[in-house]
């Protein structure tokens, strides 16, 4: 593939795609100097991705989303029907219950795996036969924006790659990160308490492999360009099979260097930039989202300069929002909101308040005080939750995440459980759906699934408490019973989604400003890009009725204002908000 030279409309020289890729590779592997080896590797990567050297650079400021977009997060087998592949059952459920309000689906790892419910991948190029096959994946991707996990930091010790590593054979010979017990690893940041290094016996002697997460999840060695090539092959395969959004799992830990934290290193960021270059040239509406469960400012760094992730998980939102609703005080949430920069066009926040893991506490570091965190943890324990820990440099363990179903996390306040659980739960989603960004709703939040204590006890894994598996017939019965918690939650969230997707002021990149309405009323203002629609989003986050003084939010008197949710007229002095009631006060109701 020869290197091409191009001229822009101004006539200046613009190198071809292979040159741009070679530049990125040189930062990763050659100290920034483009060598013949880097040029040759660039050509190989373009061949793998089936890219031409003269392809134009995609516009990084194009938004591949709007207010109609919302994703559901689910395991491939969260809904099951006897005698049917779970991926087929999942598509059936989406088509019959969520079509029109859910535009995308994140199917958590669907490859063969050995542990961690899919995040210890045995073979990236196969679909777990217990879920279905690639045709089932393609069928979902043909109708919904499909997010797939690129488990990029590590793979399973049961993989063929690792077996070959132990035998010193290809492919796999130098695919895994190793270190010496004598290396300075004291600064390495990890989310687990197990030993970092695992001793294994290889054909050429004892090796110590690097295991950020568990000893079954062995970290890949990106110092070896062959590992990068294998990942690019996997990306191409996923694109061919309907994946449009690539979730880079645990990518912050990717590059290892003894004597450092081995977290968020420069070369890690450059690998993200390289993958973006390749992916967006292969499909101009494809997206990268980085899964970086780390403190807030570090997380935001994965936007780069509009040249890394299209989206970053808004990891600080879940702990701050849950804290707000169980304390009845929005101070910390409001303080954080005011510090968040508006994402530039071409990038967006991925908002979520529940996931398959838990409520991460690292993203709350520096945002919630230690006392506030301890109160939150003790409250969640009273509501049936568990706590997972990580190891610190001094050998101490620190809470890393709270494992609990969100509906149970919000069953009460710090004073205990009360009768406002469903209202509080719907309020949490109303707040999330109003915020700038793209919403992601975990399936067990969408249908109000409670703590699965039986699954937790049978697996011994804290995270299993929020990974229930529904039988389709049982779930349909619950959703058909209008008196059930599940039906009330589902209809409430779907109604909010239906309203949201019609409002131009709820575009993920529309203007947002935080309102100052006291500790019990959390509010923010959204405005559409054409400035024609304004929405004042206000939620009573307490268990007492609160008056909203409409004069405090500066409604323009010449316009008619109404609440999009209740339909109530807002052209008056004040509104009484019941406990956990949300209003979306708008000067117009868009019907896009």
């Amino acid at each position: 593939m020869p290197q091409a030279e191009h001229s822009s409309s101004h006539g200046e020289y613009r190198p071809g795609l292979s040159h741009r890729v070679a530049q990125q590779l040189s930062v990763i592997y050659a100290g920034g100097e483009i060598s013949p080896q880097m040029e040759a590797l660039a050509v190989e990567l373009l061949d793998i991705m089936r890219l031409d050297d003269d392809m134009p650079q995609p516009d990084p400021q194009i938004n591949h989303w709007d207010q109609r977009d919302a994703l559901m997060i689910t395991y491939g087998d969260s809904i099951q029907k006897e005698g049917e592949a779970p991926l087929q059952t999942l598509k059936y459920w989406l088509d019959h219950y969520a079509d029109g309000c859910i535009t995308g689906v994140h199917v958590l790892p669907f490859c063969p795996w050995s542990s961690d419910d899919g995040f210890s991948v045995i073979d990236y190029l196969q679909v777990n036969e217990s879920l279905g096959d690639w045709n089932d994946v393609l069928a979902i991707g043909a109708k919904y924006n499909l997010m797939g996990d690129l488990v990029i930091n590590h793979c399973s010790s049961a993989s063929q790659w690792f077996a070959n590593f132990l035998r010193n054979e290809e492919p796999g010979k130098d695919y895994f990160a190793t270190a010496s017990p004598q290396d300075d690893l004291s600064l390495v940041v990890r989310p687990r308490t197990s030993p970092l290094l695992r001793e294994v016996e290889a054909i050429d002697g004892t090796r110590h492999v690097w295991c950020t997460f568990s000893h079954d999840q062995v970290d890949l060695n990106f110092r070896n360009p062959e590992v990068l090539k294998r990942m690019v092959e996997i990306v191409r395969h996923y694109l061919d099979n309907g994946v449009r959004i690539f979730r880079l799992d645990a990518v912050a830990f990717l590059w290892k260097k003894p004597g450092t934290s081995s977290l968020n290193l420069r070369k890690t960021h450059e690998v993200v930039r390289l993958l973006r270059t390749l992916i967006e040239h292969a499909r101009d509406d494809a997206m990268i989202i980085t899964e970086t469960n780390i403190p807030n400012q570090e997380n935001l760094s994965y936007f780069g300069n509009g040249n890394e992730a299209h989206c970053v998980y808004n990891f600080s939102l879940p702990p701050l929002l849950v804290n707000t609703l169980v304390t009845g005080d929005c101070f910390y949430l409001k303080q954080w909101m005011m510090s968040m920069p508006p994402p530039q066009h071409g990038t967006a926040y991925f908002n979520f308040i529940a996931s398959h893991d838990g409520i991460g506490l690292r993203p709350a570091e520096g945002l919630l005080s230690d006392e506030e965190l301890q109160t939150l943890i003790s409250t969640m324990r009273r509501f049936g939750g568990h706590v997972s820990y990580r190891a610190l440099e001094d050998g101490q363990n620190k809470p890393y995440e709270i494992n609990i179903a969100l509906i149970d996390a919000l069953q009460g306040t710090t004073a205990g459980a009360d009768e406002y659980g469903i209202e509080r739960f719907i309020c949490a989603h109303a707040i999330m759906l109003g915020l700038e960004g793209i919403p992601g709703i975990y399936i067990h939040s969408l249908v109000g699934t409670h703590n699965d204590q039986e699954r937790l006890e049978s697996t011994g894994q804290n995270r299993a408490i929020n990974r229930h598996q529904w039988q389709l017939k049982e779930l349909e019965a619950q959703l058909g019973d209008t008196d059930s918690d599940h039906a009330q939650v589902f209809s409430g969230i779907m109604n909010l989604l239906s309203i949201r997707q019609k409002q131009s002021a709820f575009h993920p990149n529309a203007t947002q400003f935080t309102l100052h309405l006291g500790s019990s009323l959390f509010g923010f203002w959204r405005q559409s890009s054409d400035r024609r629609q304004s929405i004042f989003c206000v939620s009573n986050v307490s268990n007492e009725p609160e008056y909203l003084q409409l004069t405090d939010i500066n409604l323009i008197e010449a316009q008619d204002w109404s609440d999009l949710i209740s339909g109530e007229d807002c052209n008056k002095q004040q509104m009484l908000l019941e406990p956990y009631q949300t209003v979306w006060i708008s000067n117009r109701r868009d019907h896009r």
Side-chain angles (χ1 to χ4, degrees):
M1 184 180 297
Q3 178 177 315
E5 295 186 6
H6 308 279
S7 297
S8 73
S9 58
H10 299 288
E12 73 269 17
Y13 167 77
R14 184 168 67 83
L17 179 58
S18 64
H19 182 78
R20 297 199 294 277
V21 171
Q23 285 180 317
Q24 294 175 309
L25 290 168
S26 71
V27 174
I28 300 169
Y29 294 116
E33 181 179 347
I34 299 179
S35 65
Q37 290 85 356
M38 294 301 99
E39 291 176 335
L41 179 55
V43 169
E44 283 190 77
L45 296 183
L46 265 61
D47 283 344
I48 292 169
M49 291 293 288
R50 303 195 293 276
L51 302 177
D52 295 326
D53 191 56
D54 59 355
M55 299 182 76
Q57 178 75 27
D59 185 347
Q61 294 193 319
I62 290 179
N63 295 322
H64 301 303
W65 46 78
D66 63 24
Q67 64 274 13
R68 293 168 292 186
D69 287 304
L71 274 74
M72 186 179 80
I73 305 164
T74 181
Y75 278 102
D77 58 358
S78 291
I79 306 175
Q80 302 177 6
K81 178 182 178 182
E82 187 175 353
E84 184 172 77
L87 288 173
Q88 295 174 13
T89 306
L90 171 61
K91 185 174 182 299
Y92 165 86
W93 191 86
L94 285 165
D95 291 346
H96 287 78
Y97 288 89
D99 190 23
C101 289
I102 295 295
T103 60
V105 57
H106 173 201
V107 181
L108 290 153
F110 46 73
C111 299
W113 53 275
S114 56
S115 63
D116 198 18
D117 280 357
F119 287 93
S120 187
V121 178
I122 293 175
D123 187 343
Y124 292 88
L125 299 178
Q126 299 297 323
V127 174
N128 190 334
E129 62 180 13
S130 68
L131 297 177
D133 56 30
W134 283 115
N135 287 330
D136 299 320
V137 174
L138 270 168
I140 293 173
K143 185 168 183 180
Y144 302 93
N145 293 325
L146 176 60
M147 183 192 297
D149 288 280
L150 189 64
V151 185
I152 194 170
N153 179 71
H154 50 263
C155 77
S156 171
S157 64
S159 66
Q160 188 61 51
W161 286 355
F162 193 67
N164 289 350
F165 168 83
L166 296 177
R167 292 196 293 262
N168 202 29
E169 296 176 356
E170 297 288 9
K173 179 179 177 181
D174 192 28
Y175 278 24
F176 295 91
T178 61
S180 166
Q182 282 68 53
D183 288 338
D184 179 11
L185 305 175
S186 61
L187 298 178
V188 174
V189 174
R190 300 177 59 230
R192 299 290 186 273
T193 57
S194 57
L196 173 64
L197 299 183
R198 172 189 171 188
E199 183 178 303
V200 296
E201 294 302 322
I203 195 170
D204 55 351
T206 301
R207 308 285 294 275
H208 293 86
V209 292
W210 193 297
C211 300
T212 296
F213 291 90
S214 78
H215 283 187
D216 183 49
Q217 294 164 292
V218 189
D219 286 31
L220 292 162
N221 175 27
F222 275 84
R223 293 177 182 274
N224 178 3
E226 291 298 315
V227 173
L228 177 63
K229 286 164 61 176
R230 295 292 82 76
M231 278 294 157
V232 172
E233 289 175 354
I234 293 162
V235 165
R236 181 68 260 181
H237 187 72
Y238 287 7
L239 281 167
D240 291 340
N241 284 279
V243 173
R244 180 194 161 204
I245 307 169
F246 289 83
R247 178 184 184 269
L248 305 188
D249 176 64
V251 69
F253 303 95
L254 182 139
W255 201 271
K256 289 87 169 111
K257 185 178 181 181
T260 74
S261 66
S262 295
L263 183 71
N264 307 319
L265 298 188
R266 181 190 178 195
K267 294 187 177 185
T268 293
H269 282 278
E270 196 63 41
V271 170
V272 176
R273 294 186 190 110
L274 172 64
L275 289 173
R276 171 161 175 165
T277 297
L278 296 171
I279 288 170
E280 69 182 2
H281 279 84
R283 176 171 173 169
D284 60 9
D285 64 345
M287 294 163 51
I288 283 177
I289 178 169
T290 48
E291 189 271 331
T292 47
N293 191 358
I294 49 181
N296 192 52
Q297 290 304 312
E298 297 173 37
N299 185 37
L300 293 177
S301 72
Y302 283 87
F303 278 136
N305 187 26
N307 60 351
E308 291 188 37
H310 295 86
C311 299
V312 298
Y313 275 77
N314 218 344
F315 272 109
S316 296
L317 180 59
L320 292 176
L321 184 50
V322 170
N323 179 74
T324 292
L325 289 166
V326 299
T327 62
D329 187 339
C330 66
F331 173 79
Y332 292 101
L333 180 63
K334 186 165 63 175
Q335 190 175 52
W336 166 74
M337 279 267 291
M338 290 187 293
S339 73
M340 292 293 281
Q344 60 183 289
H345 283 289
T347 65
Y349 294 118
F350 185 72
N351 294 327
F352 74 108
I353 48 177
S355 75
H356 61 289
D357 287 340
I359 301 169
L361 297 178
R362 286 214 73 203
E365 291 177 9
L367 302 175
L368 291 178
S369 66
D370 288 343
E371 181 180 0
E372 202 80 13
L373 281 169
Q374 287 305 315
T375 299
L376 177 62
I377 289 169
S378 63
T379 303
M380 295 301 99
R381 280 183 165 142
R382 275 190 288 157
F383 293 162
H386 295 255
V387 178
S388 298
Y389 293 83
R390 67 183 180 94
L392 301 179
E393 296 173 27
D394 59 5
Q396 299 294 311
N397 292 337
K398 186 174 183 178
Y400 174 70
E401 70 181 14
I402 299 168
N403 306 112
I404 191 170
L406 185 64
I407 195 166
D408 286 307
L410 296 175
Q411 66 183 270
T413 68
T414 53
D418 60 26
E419 70 272 27
Y420 294 115
I422 292 179
E423 290 86 352
R424 192 179 290 111
F425 187 74
I426 297 295
C427 178
H429 286 85
I431 291 172
M432 179 187 75
L433 292 174
L435 291 173
E436 62 181 346
I438 303 166
I441 305 176
Y442 189 38
I443 187 171
H444 294 305
S445 292
L446 190 60
V447 299
T449 309
H450 289 274
N451 289 335
D452 191 335
Q453 296 289 353
E454 182 179 343
R455 187 172 174 85
L456 182 148
E457 292 169 8
S458 66
T459 64
Q461 301 295 320
N462 284 350
R463 287 176 168 177
I465 197 171
N466 197 23
R467 298 179 179 180
H468 182 71
Q469 293 177 316
W470 281 97
Q471 291 298 314
L472 176 63
K473 187 175 181 179
E474 178 190 3
L475 179 57
E476 290 187 317
Q478 289 291 341
L479 296 181
D481 179 0
T482 56
D483 292 329
S484 76
D485 289 357
H486 305 289
Q488 292 178 49
V489 163
F490 181 71
S491 63
I493 295 176
M494 293 296 282
N495 179 55
L496 292 173
L497 282 169
S498 179
I499 297 169
R500 178 189 185 274
Q501 65 181 194
K502 299 181 180 70
Q503 316 308 321
S504 56
F506 280 149
H507 187 287
N509 295 89
T511 299
Q512 175 175 293
F513 284 106
T514 306
L515 303 176
H516 299 276
L517 304 170
S519 62
S520 298
L521 295 178
F522 175 66
F524 50 95
W525 172 67
R526 304 294 309 280
Q527 185 183 59
S528 60
S529 60
D530 62 9
R531 300 187 179 183
R532 296 176 62 189
Q533 185 183 34
S534 288
I535 303 177
F536 292 89
C537 306
V538 183
S539 297
N540 179 3
V541 298
S542 76
N543 57 7
E544 297 290 339
E546 294 283 343
Y547 277 101
L548 167 63
Q549 302 300 324
L550 295 176
T551 53
D552 290 345
I553 57 175
N554 298 319
L555 301 183
I556 300 173
E557 293 183 6
Q559 298 178 342
D560 289 327
W561 297 86
S562 63
D563 173 22
L564 296 172
I565 298 174
S566 69
E568 183 179 350
D569 174 65
C570 299
N571 296 294
K572 48 192 173 183
Q573 295 296 308
Q574 63 183 13
M575 291 182 71
L576 178 65
L577 299 189
E578 298 296 335
Y580 308 107
Q581 181 182 351
T582 294
V583 290
W584 287 344
I585 301 173
S586 178
N587 61 338
R588 58 180 286 165
R589 181 182 288 268
D590 280 358
H591 297 283
R592 189 181 181 88

